[in-house]
């Protein structure tokens, strides 16, 4: 049987037993993914930005380390961006190092699994050290390890903060008991290796600070140590915390640079974004996570992509947390702190008075509180749940209270299940989740019944029974929760088009622009060594954001943010209808990838405004259709069927449509295909726009058709195939696409496959010479408006010597993980433009001698070219990183030296 904690520390036997049980529940929660060959690393639940941004960032870091360099400047992102930033955290996070070394799919799987396991085990150690029973601690640990936040956001680096958070609190508590070298060094090392994701780190620091004040107050009242002792302990903890941040300066100092310079591009009021209280049902049942969508609390029209569904806790955890909250005086020593923490953080999550006032605090008002505060709520709730289990075992009144709460929650869930019965019946996985919950409660009731039948000691079975029930329930949720973006939303296979671009090479490094994110997501480009003009995380680079906003004609912060979030994006893109096309050539963009004409957009064919003529209901359906890995919004018709929709009179140019056959249609035995036809009607006249027999076993791609503009109606029809089989004879249409105003700017595509590749006629190399320099400071956002002048070779360079420049010949341009090199020759004094983002920390050298870097057009970099032939190198050496990495190294070595000195009896630290 598990033993009680002793004065010497936690029981190794208990820890091993808890670790084995946590590993078992984690296996039950995740094995189904591996059975289906999916894994966790590339599976997205709510937010695709997490895996797109952080996985690709880690791969960039691995490539840099393998080349013997630090991953300082990511040249694949937009116009280049600092890499060692809060977004990518510390490069020496212990668990990530394991993934770096293995650097395979299984390496990343072990990374994600180890984070979850460590979160549960460290939670158990903290709870057990706080005098909660073995089963109470294990119950809370299972709830925390498999809570909905870790399921829905397991790819976020914030989990790297959360899984070490219990250990930091444990060491903090022990420092107040006895300030030893081991506790002090452990606290410093734990604090310094935490991934420095700014939002979660900030919340963590606030909680650590308040916990210190609580421990100091409790220590004074318990043992009469006095104010001097409390202030001494607080001073010690503050010094250790400051030193931990000092050791993490390799990232933290850069964070200070970025925050002061560029971390301003947040919509006002983002901190007020909260989970509506009506969505609280998502805390206690997994059934509704898929289809609870709430109107955002902000005015930005595209914020609805931030799904406001609270992270799932499960019925037992929620019930026993309320039991614990009902008796604050009977909780363990830290019970009041956890109860207060649960109320405050939950109040901020749901924006309940008076806790909503905290959302106006500096820094916090910029955070997405609905996301980053959720795991801290789960932590406090799981701590209360463990204490509530202890109370239920000891006190009959609390058992009765728990039963009433559980019945109410189950009834509440049942009522919602009845209200949304059509959605529940339509979602097989939700039905499986409901069945799993009832199966868990059946097992619980059976175990309690058998224990009671043996005698009055049935309450002894309450602890292990509830641990089992909660583990099964949360493991079931973890396994069946449906990813919004598909079971494997993150593909690593390079497409034929990517391989084609790689094979063409030539003219040194160049950028691409995916005019449609379906052609190539900007995050994937870097994995293949391609450099995309689109930056997937520009919140920290104001210059880039202002350039994109100015090029798109955005005149307010709201317009800019809406463009950033439009169409499910989380990056800035260029609006093809508004930009000056010559801008792409100036920014070193060589290839444009798109479906149809670059910048074309689907028409909005509202199913409620169309007229369907069918022989039976359900023969026409609007859906998102995937063909050969490419998703489109479209309509499926089972023959015979006809759908009529209005064409927009204002559509300029031609209107494109596509027809095709879904892959699985070929599985129909003897599939004969379907006859598709499109007719355009206007002024009582009809004109045939398209007619073709689509064969399911032959036609596996989309077939484009073109419709002339001018309004009228569009009729899409499908006629039966020879077998007249309604299950196999069906046609697939994409929604019509309206081309942009700038259609026809680019030549015919050099590749016409699933998507097209066009070459930019005005393509400029990464480094090129300027013809004329004007000593003038441009206004922010003028880059797009000055495109024509810059195309002719005239650039605004404040502080540079103005005048006509000699012709510059640039050769051998090479981009690296921390800089760029090239050779340039000129018959006179010249000037070279480097189409990369100007950012503090860059240094330039000519033949090894440092020269000045100029800011060109308020965005790019430039250097003066000397007469003759010379070698040039631009190196990114941010002062914060250079100073911080040495602080980091010597600080860790200093701690190791203290340990060694004590081990050999030459020193030590011990204070009571």
């Amino acid at each position: 049987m598990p033993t009680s904690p002793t004065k010497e520390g936690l029981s190794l036997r208990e820890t091993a037993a808890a670790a084995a049980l946590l590993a078992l529940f984690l296996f039950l929660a995740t094995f189904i993914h591996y059975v289906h060959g999916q894994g966790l690393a590339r599976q997205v639940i709510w937010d695709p930005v997490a895996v797109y941004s952080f996985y690709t960032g880690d791969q960039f870091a691995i490539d840099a380390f393998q080349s013997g360099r630090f991953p300082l400047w990511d040249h694949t992102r937009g116009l280049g961006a600092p890499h060692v930033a809060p977004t990518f955290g510390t490069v020496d996070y212990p668990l990530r190092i394991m993934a770096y070394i293995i650097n395979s799919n299984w390496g990343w799987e072990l990374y994600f699994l180890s984070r979850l396991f460590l979160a549960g085990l460290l939670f158990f150690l903290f709870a057990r050290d706080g005098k909660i029973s073995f089963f109470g601690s294990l119950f809370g640990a299972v709830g925390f390890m498999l809570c909905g936040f870790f399921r829905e956001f397991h790819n976020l680096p914030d989990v790297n903060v959360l899984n070490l958070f219990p250990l930091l609190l444990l060491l903090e508590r022990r420092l107040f008991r006895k300030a030893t070298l081991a506790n002090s060094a452990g606290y410093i090392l734990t604090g310094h290796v935490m991934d420095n994701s700014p939002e979660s780190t900030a919340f963590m620091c606030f909680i650590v600070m308040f916990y210190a004040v609580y421990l100091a107050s409790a220590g004074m009242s318990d043992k009469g140590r006095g104010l001097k002792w409390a202030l001494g302990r607080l001073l010690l903890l503050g010094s250790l915390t400051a030193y931990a941040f000092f050791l993490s300066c390799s990232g933290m100092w850069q964070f200070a640079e970025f925050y002061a310079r560029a971390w301003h591009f947040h919509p006002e009021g983002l901190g007020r974004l909260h989970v509506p209280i009506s969505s609280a049902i998502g805390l206690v049942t997994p059934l509704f996570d898929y289809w609870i969508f709430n109107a955002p609390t902000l005015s930005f029209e595209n914020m609805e992509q931030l799904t406001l569904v609270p992270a799932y806790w499960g019925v037992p955890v929620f019930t026993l947390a309320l039991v614990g909250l009902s008796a604050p005086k009977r909780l363990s020593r830290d019970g009041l702190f956890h109860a207060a923490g649960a109320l405050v953080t939950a109040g901020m999550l749901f924006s309940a008075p008076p806790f909503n006032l905290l959302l106006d605090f500096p820094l916090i008002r910029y955070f997405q509180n609905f996301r980053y505060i959720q795991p801290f709520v789960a932590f406090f709730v799981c701590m209360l749940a463990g204490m509530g289990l202890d109370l239920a075992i000891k006190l009959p009144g609390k058992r009765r209270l728990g039963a009433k709460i559980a019945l109410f929650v189950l009834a509440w869930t049942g009522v919602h299940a009845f209200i949304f019965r059509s959605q529940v019946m339509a979602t097989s996985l939700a039905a499986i989740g409901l069945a799993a919950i009832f199966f868990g409660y059946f097992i619980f009731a059976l175990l309690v019944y058998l224990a009671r039948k043996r005698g009055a000691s049935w309450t002894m079975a309450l602890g292990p029974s509830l641990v089992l029930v909660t583990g099964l329930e949360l493991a079931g949720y973890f396994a069946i929760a449906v990813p919004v973006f598909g079971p494997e939303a993150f593909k690593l296979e390079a497409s034929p088009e990517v391989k084609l671009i790689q094979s063409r090479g030539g003219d040194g490094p160049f950028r691409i622009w995916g005019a449609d994110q379906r052609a190539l997501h900007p995050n994937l480009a870097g994995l293949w060594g391609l450099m995309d003009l689109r930056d997937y995380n520009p919140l920290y680079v104001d210059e880039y954001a202002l350039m994109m906003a100015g090029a798109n004609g955005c005149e307010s912060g709201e317009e800019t943010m809406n463009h950033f979030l439009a169409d499910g994006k989380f990056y800035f893109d260029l609006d093809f209808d508004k930009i000056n096309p010559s801008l792409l050539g100036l920014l070193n963009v060589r290839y444009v990838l798109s479906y149809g004409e670059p910048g074309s957009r689907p028409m909005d064919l509202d199913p409620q405004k169309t007229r369907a003529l069918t022989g039976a209901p359900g023969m026409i359906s609007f859906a998102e259709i995937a063909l050969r890995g490419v998703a489109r919004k479209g309509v499926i018709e089972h023959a015979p069927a006809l759908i009529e929709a209005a064409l927009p009179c204002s559509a300029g140019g031609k209107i494109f449509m596509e027809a095709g056959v879904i892959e699985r249609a070929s599985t129909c035995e003897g599939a004969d295909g379907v006859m598709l036809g499109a007719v355009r009607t206007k002024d009582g006249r009809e004109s045939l726009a398209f007619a073709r027999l689509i064969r399911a076993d032959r036609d596996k791609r989309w077939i484009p058709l073109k419709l002339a503009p001018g309004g009228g109606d569009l009729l899409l029809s499908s006629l039966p195939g020879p077998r007249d089989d309604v299950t196999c004879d069906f046609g697939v249409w994409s929604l019509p696409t309206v081309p942009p105003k700038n259609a026809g700017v680019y030549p015919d595509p050099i590749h016409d496959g699933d998507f097209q590749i066009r070459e930019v006629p005005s393509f400029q190399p990464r480094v090129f010479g300027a013809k004329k320099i004007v000593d003038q400071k441009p206004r922010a956002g003028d880059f797009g408006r000055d495109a024509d002048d810059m195309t002719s070779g005239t650039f605004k360079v404040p502080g540079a010597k103005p005048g006509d420049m000699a012709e510059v010949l640039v050769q051998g341009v090479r981009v690296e993980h921390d800089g760029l090199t090239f050779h340039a020759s000129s018959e006179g004094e010249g000037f070279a433009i480097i189409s990369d983002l100007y950012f503090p920390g860059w240094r330039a050298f000519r033949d090894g001698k440092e020269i000045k870097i100029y800011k060109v057009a308020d965005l790019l970099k430039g250097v003066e070219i000397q007469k003759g032939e010379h070698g040039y190198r631009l190196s990114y050496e941010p002062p914060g990183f250079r100073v911080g990495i040495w602080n980091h190294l010597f600080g860790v070595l200093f701690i190791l030296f203290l340990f060694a000195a004590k081990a050999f009896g030459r020193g030590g630290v011990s204070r009571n």
Side-chain angles (χ1 to χ4, degrees), residues 531-555:
M531 305 174 195
D532 200 308
L533 179 63
R534 300 165 298 175
D535 188 352
Y536 55 80
N537 191 32
L539 297 182
Y540 303 95
V541 184
D542 274 4
E543 288 86 350
Y544 177 85
L546 289 173
M547 183 275 289
M548 298 297 267
N552 290 317
C554 299
E555 297 182 357

Side-chain angles (χ1 to χ4, degrees), residues 880-894:
F881 180 80
R882 284 187 293 144
V883 174
I885 198 67
W886 288 110
N887 290 341
H888 181 93
L889 177 62
F890 283 112
V892 173
L893 291 177
F894 177 69

